[in-house]
Structure formats: C-alpha cells, structure tokens
Amino acid sequence: MSGLVSIEVHQEPSYRVHVGVGALGAAAAFVGSRNAAIVTDARVRALHVGRLGLAAPVVEVPRGEDAKDFATLERVLDAFAHHGLDRSSVVVALGGGAIGDLAGLAASLYMRGIAFVQCPTTLLAQVDASVGGKTAVNLRAGKNLAGAFHPPSAVFADAGVLATLDPDDFLSGLGEVVKSALLDGEEFTAWLEGHAQALLRRDADAVAHVVERCVRLKARLVERDPREHGERKVLNLGHTFAHAIEQATGFGRVPHGVAVGVGVALALRAGENVVLAQRVERLLASLGLVPTLSELRRRIPSGLDGRSLVAAMRLDKKGASGRPRFVVLDAPGAVRWDVELSDERVQRTLA
Amino acid sequence: MSGLVSIEVHQEPSYRVHVGVGALGAAAAFVGSRNAAIVTDARVRALHVGRLGLAAPVVEVPRGEDAKDFATLERVLDAFAHHGLDRSSVVVALGGGAIGDLAGLAASLYMRGIAFVQCPTTLLAQVDASVGGKTAVNLRAGKNLAGAFHPPSAVFADAGVLATLDPDDFLSGLGEVVKSALLDGEEFTAWLEGHAQALLRRDADAVAHVVERCVRLKARLVERDPREHGERKVLNLGHTFAHAIEQATGFGRVPHGVAVGVGVALALRAGENVVLAQRVERLLASLGLVPTLSELRRRIPSGLDGRSLVAAMRLDKKGASGRPRFVVLDAPGAVRWDVELSDERVQRTLA
C-alpha cells in the first residue's frame, strides 16, 4: 500500500484531494484552531469519527438520501448557529455522497458561505461526489433539484474506511467507476476489465488505484468546466437513465451507482453502440453489478415499465427546454454531450 | 417626472437597474419568450401584477418576513418544478425586500442557479435590497443566516408603485435612505435635510432622485466588493444595532428601516460622534422616523432593555470570531468598517 497521494483541483479557490489509507488523520491539521462541526450519520459516527481526531460537535443526520431534505437542511443550519459557528468556521462532511451533498449545501448557505471539507467514507463518494463542488438536496419533483456550486476547501479520501463498507454500497461505487473508466479511455477501461476480481475482494492497491484515477479524471473535467456549462456534462454519462430509474422506483430503492451502471449500458444502447454496450454489460456483470434493464426488472418487479421511466425522465433537470439531453460514447474516451435523442429511440431503449 | 434611468451594476455578470415611473412595464420584454414564474404576495399581486404584462404563473407567499423561512422556500421551489421551470427560465421577484430575498435564494438554489429579476415594490427594496445580489432566509437563531450571493439579471424599480405603499412601509424605506445619504457624503445628506417635506408627501421627483442616488451608491460599493469582504460592509452602518433591535423585539415588530434609522444614530453615539448623532436624530425626526432608543422604548415597552439587546447582538453574523463588528462614521462620507467597540461602550450605548 502506497502513502497519501495529493491531487490538486484548480477550481476557484483551488483545493487538494488527499487519497490513501490514513487520509482522515490529516483533516484535523487542516481544520487547525478554527471552530468546526462534523456532519455525519449514526453509523459512520460509530465507525469512523475517531479517525478524525477532531474535538468538534457532531451534527447527526439520517442515513443516505433521507438526509437530503429541507427539514434536515434547516436542522443542520440551526445546529451550526447553536454551536456558534461563524464565517471563519469549517464544516466537516463525514459520510457518503448524501452527507457531502447536504453538509456542503448547508456550508454554502450558512452566513452565505463558509468553508467545508469532504471526508467521503464510501467508494461512490470518494471516486465522484466529493470532488467538484456540487451540493444539493432533493425536491418532491426530483433529485438534486435544489443546490449550489460550493467547492470544498479540501477532500480526505481514506481508503482505510472502505473495508467496513456494506457489500451493496461498495458495489454501488463500482458503477461510477465503470462510468469514469469509459470516460477516461481504453487503457483504464481495459485495466478495470483485468482487475474485476481484485476489486471485488477490495484489494487495497487496486482500490487506491481506482480512487486516484477517478479523482484525476474528475479534477481535469471540473477544472475545465467548473459550472457544468459544457464538457463537465460528460460526467452525467448514464445519469439521465439512472435518475429516471431512481425516480420511477422511489429514491433509495436502487442504489445510485447500480442505477448508473445500468444507465451507462442503456446510454450506449440508445446511442446504438451495440458492441461497446455488450462489452460494458460484461464488465458490469463481472463486477457484480446489474448489466441490463431486463435484469434490473427481474430484481425489482414494479415501477420500471417503459412508460414510468419515460415520464420520470421528462422531469430531469439536464434538459435546456424540457427535453432530456444525453451523453453518448462513441468509444472509451470519445464522448459527446448535450445530445438529443428522438423520443422513439429513448422509448425503444426503455421498452 | 423624468423617464427611465438605467444604472449598470458591474457584478459578475453585470446587470442594469431601471429606475423611474413605468419601469415595471419593461420587465416583460426582458423576460421575452423564456418560461417564468412570478413570486409575490396576495396584496402586491392584487395591486401591481398587472403592470408586468407578463403571462406567467404566480407563486404566492406570505407578506413580509414571514415569507423568509425554510417551509416557504421549499414550497416555492416545488412550485418552480410544478410549473416546469428549467435552467433557461426566469424568476420574477415582485414585492418588498423579503420577497426579493426569498425569491432570489430560490432562484439561486433551483437547479443550482437560474436567472431572476428584481421588481421591488417598496422604497426599502428599491433603494437597497434589490441591488447587490444578497439573498437569504432566516434561521431561528437570527435574520438572514442562510443565504447566497446571487445577483439579479435586471432590476426594475418603478417609482409608480410607491404611491400605494403603507405610510409605515414608506417610512421604513426612509431609514435606509438616511443611511445611504450619510455613506454618500455631505451633499446628499444636506439635500435630504432640505427635502424632508417633499419626501414625506411622496413628491415623485424627490422620490425618484432618492432612489437613483441610493442605487448609484450601492452599485459603486457592490462593484468594488461583491462578496462583502471589505468596503461593502459600510452598507451595514447601523445594522448591528438594527438587527439586535429586530431580534430582541421579534422580527416584524419594528420595521427594518425604522430599526436601521435608530441603529445609525446609535452607531454614531457608540462611535462617540455626538454632534453628528444629534444632526442625524434631527433628520430622522423630520422624516417621521424614530430618532432614539428611548423614543423607540416609549413606543414598544418590552424587549428593548439593554441586556436583551446585548444578548441579541452576540448572535449577529458580522463578527469574525464571535465579537460583533461595527461600521463607524467620522463625518458624512467618511466611513470605517470592521470596528470592534468595547463591550462597555456598547452596553453604555444601549443602557
């Protein structure tokens, strides 16, 4: 196992992502003497809060997507005020992507913006959600519909915490890894195909390699397009389909990364790239993920009919004028975004 | 009465403030063919929504500060989704400062930020709140503690709507006008002293002059310091005291601009500028405002004791490390900010 790797993300302002076993131990030095509050859930608190070595009050929120509502957001902000946080204080988000999204938005809003650090404790959050500054809560009408761009001041992605991750949560992260590898190019995609077994047994070197490569990819994209006006949208590969799946089944039923995995395969099918779609479906299956919509329907019998999925897709926020836009892959590393697909082709893909 | 005056505010991105009778009529052309939603309250809707000439759904919120809570914020965002707003849509804030604060924050959060235009219908909002991009809702712990910097895409300050303003609301606006004149300098301050009667009878030319000058001052300050790291803080002259007064009496009891008027006089007294304090107290009285804390206590007998005010002040968000900071005026136009005053001097001022 290698030591910590630091990857600089050139957003405004710039920040570093520290990747490797023991990274959480570096967070306390970063916070220093500033007032802080730790936002986390009961389970992560019990497992990992000690690794921070930080004498700061803890604000507990529900686990997973349940944390991302307005009532919880207000409660977290009230807690910041109760604990005397001011403009020089730091919010520490310790948990999965949902906690990062919620705590980051709370930090963005509190006194119109205070600093926060991401301490992602899931593979999903380490490879994707903790970098880039997107924060959000959910509205009744859809996921992440209310949020802000608020880059973290630092990210501490500790591979040591992934050992305790639920098998389902680990799998979910692999869905985003597949997406990242396809965006990155042939070499990372082939590496993934060759290391599926190592990843499934959570080999520390393999996992650290994956986190580092995904963070480097995301950092490149976020730097070039911090506000997601263009190129950064490629990170949404598979997400138009994934969000429709999550929306149609009720958030939390299908883990986000699992939905993204199927979504990537569906995006390739919708783009009529059948050979690459089949290759990705094999990769998804070898990683224990759900490769196809028909397989997902076998596991979750209700809500996934074509009509429900199309209806859910119409609400997706990526459309510039009511029509959903898609990310399409011609080959690993060769990506187009803002592609409009005909209703007929989308409906055929979801049939 | 002169025609429309347009003042450019060089924020990122830049926008124009259109001042004068009939300004609301220009909003529809600005929105153009984009989807829009109008956020307003029932009273303003009945009086003024027709002036917009805009065929857009209306989202009604409670009047005044009651609109600035999380439940209303979520309801407004849900309504945006219900009406199919997307990233290219425009939110139209039609109302006083509270509606601008709420609707601006909702626009800032919806899909991580869509455009909004300010259509301020109170003197207070026209001279101050609608320019500069500060948006917020209140927390239990204090006013404007949760918010964002989200500049409007345009402001339409229609002097024609001020005729229907409640006398109390008009007075409240004059409190911020006094503050602006003192920040601007001797000439505007003396002009105000000479035109108190014209303003009190809402002479159209006098009111338009005041709105234009206040907007020009604010535009200058906001351009030089959009994020309020430094010089923009001078706009908080009187506000540390004013927020403590509002907090201690319960928001809405003392109108904001009235609290600001007393707050300016108190800030001058705390800065031991007795001659200027007395001059400002005379100006406040000539405009029908409350000039002193003792006069305010006569009108509102409970909550304004020195101890309650000092306690409320400790929660104010302007402090960098728990201590409130003050804006101090040496003469009209000669301002210092981030001044720490001794507890003893603050307590003496509030005794």
Side-chain angles (χ1 to χ4, degrees), chain A residues 269-290:
Chain A
R269 296 231 167 239
E272 297 189 327
N273 196 333
V274 180
V275 176
L276 186 55
Q278 290 172 334
R279 182 179 170 195
V280 167
E281 287 163 4
R282 281 194 301 275
L283 176 57
L284 292 169
S286 76
L287 289 167
L289 287 156
V290 180

Side-chain angles (χ1 to χ4, degrees), chain B residues 20-266:
Chain B
V21 174
L24 280 182
F30 182 87
V31 170
S33 63
R34 292 179 284 182
N35 267 345
I38 301 164
V39 180
T40 190
D41 65 39
R43 188 160 173 280
V44 173
R45 180 183 193 170
L47 285 170
H48 304 307
V49 81
R51 295 175 191 251
L52 287 171
L54 202 61
V58 173
V59 184
E60 260 190 38
V61 298
R63 193 172 174 206
E65 287 290 312
D66 287 347
K68 290 174 63 177
D69 65 17
F70 268 76
T72 307
L73 178 63
E74 183 178 19
R75 192 165 60 70
V76 169
L77 288 163
D78 282 338
F80 290 172
H82 173 77
H83 293 302
L85 265 55
D86 63 22
R87 285 182 174 159
S88 64
S89 303
V90 186
V91 171
V92 179
L94 177 70
I99 280 175
D101 281 358
L102 171 78
L105 181 56
S108 158
L109 291 172
Y110 190 66
M111 297 186 173
R112 296 199 185 88
I114 66 173
F116 87 113
V117 298
Q118 291 271 25
C119 299
T121 60
T122 65
L123 180 58
L124 187 67
Q126 292 194 1
V127 298
D128 185 46
S130 62
V131 178
K134 275 191 183 183
T135 72
V137 293
N138 303 323
L139 293 182
R140 268 172 269 279
K143 204 174 156 174
N144 295 331
L145 280 177
F149 286 97
H150 188 56
S153 298
V155 182
F156 300 91
D158 191 335
V161 303
L162 300 180
T164 58
L165 210 56
D166 276 349
D168 273 3
D169 287 339
F170 191 78
L171 267 186
S172 182
L174 290 179
E176 289 280 357
V177 170
V178 169
K179 178 203 77 176
S180 297
L182 286 165
L183 293 175
D184 199 59
E186 178 57 35
E187 194 249 317
F188 189 15
T189 304
W191 185 95
L192 209 53
E193 290 171 322
H195 290 77
Q197 289 311 307
L199 286 171
L200 279 180
R201 61 170 189 271
R202 303 193 198 182
D203 174 90
D205 281 328
V207 172
H209 180 78
V210 151
V211 172
E212 185 189 333
R213 290 207 65 158
C214 290
V215 168
R216 286 195 192 281
L217 168 78
K218 179 129 188 198
R220 272 201 316 274
L221 289 167
V222 161
E223 281 166 17
R224 289 199 286 231
D225 177 21
R227 287 262 161 171
E228 197 175 294
H229 293 307
E231 188 179 358
R232 182 171 173 176
K233 291 181 188 173
V234 303
L235 288 164
N236 291 321
L237 174 64
H239 279 63
T240 305
F241 288 104
H243 283 175
I245 287 168
E246 292 178 274
Q247 177 81 23
T249 51
F251 288 113
R253 188 84 196 277
V254 180
H256 178 64
V258 173
V260 168
V262 189
V264 168
L266 289 171

